Amino acid sequence: AVEDRVAGLDVGADDYLTKPFAFEELLARARALVRRGPIARITPFVVGDLSLDPASHEVIRGGRRILLSKTEFALLQLLMRRAGQVVRRDAIIAEVWPTEASVEENTLSAFISFLRRKIDEGHAETLIQTVRGEGYRMGDPE
């Protein structure tokens, strides 16, 4: 089904071949992949004891795996990619919700709250810091 192909591509596959297939097509696709050369590995983002792997969509803090929604993952990835920098609220909204005509600022606040609950649960230090009047910063508590 289309959903299966989309899901496979979204989790990292670069091609999809449906059954039944011609063996010649499989070989041609394999040759095309070899011509692409080595594949650059996306390195995980790490802030303190929190890591986010964009390739596997895995988030771990303190050895505990954290399950996030698609939007929560996109938001956390943006903050971790720009760790140490203040990311303005309007910039976050534009990147996390690019196709939405208008997103309320309280929607962003709600998602930040969801993220804080999930990544900071059981930890003394919070990693997402609010910068009043500006936005948010992902920072190492140390």
Side-chain angles (χ1 to χ4, degrees), residues 33-59:
L33 288 172
V34 170
R35 284 192 302 268
R36 290 183 190 171
I39 298 171
R41 173 82 172 124
I42 300 171
T43 58
F45 297 103
V46 178
V47 175
D49 62 346
L50 176 69
S51 69
L52 178 147
D53 187 339
S56 67
H57 277 243
E58 189 170 64
V59 177

Side-chain angles (χ1 to χ4, degrees), residues 49-50 59 61 64 66-69 71-73 75-77 79-80 85-87 89 92 105-139:
D49 62 346
L50 176 69
V59 177
R61 181 161 189 201
R64 184 177 58 91
I66 301 167
L67 300 176
L68 300 178
S69 71
T71 303
E72 291 167 339
F73 187 89
L75 176 57
L76 184 60
Q77 183 174 1
L79 292 173
M80 291 185 77
Q85 302 172 20
V86 176
V87 186
R89 293 177 66 89
I92 294 171
E105 285 203 22
N106 62 351
T107 301
L108 173 57
S109 298
F111 273 94
I112 290 289
S113 178
F114 297 153
L115 265 182
R116 282 182 170 145
R117 256 184 261 136
K118 289 182 177 184
I119 68 170
D120 291 331
E121 184 178 293
H123 299 275
E125 302 287 341
T126 60
L127 294 178
I128 301 173
Q129 302 152 2
T130 301
V131 180
R132 290 185 64 91
E134 293 294 320
Y136 299 96
R137 175 179 47 234
M138 174 66 73

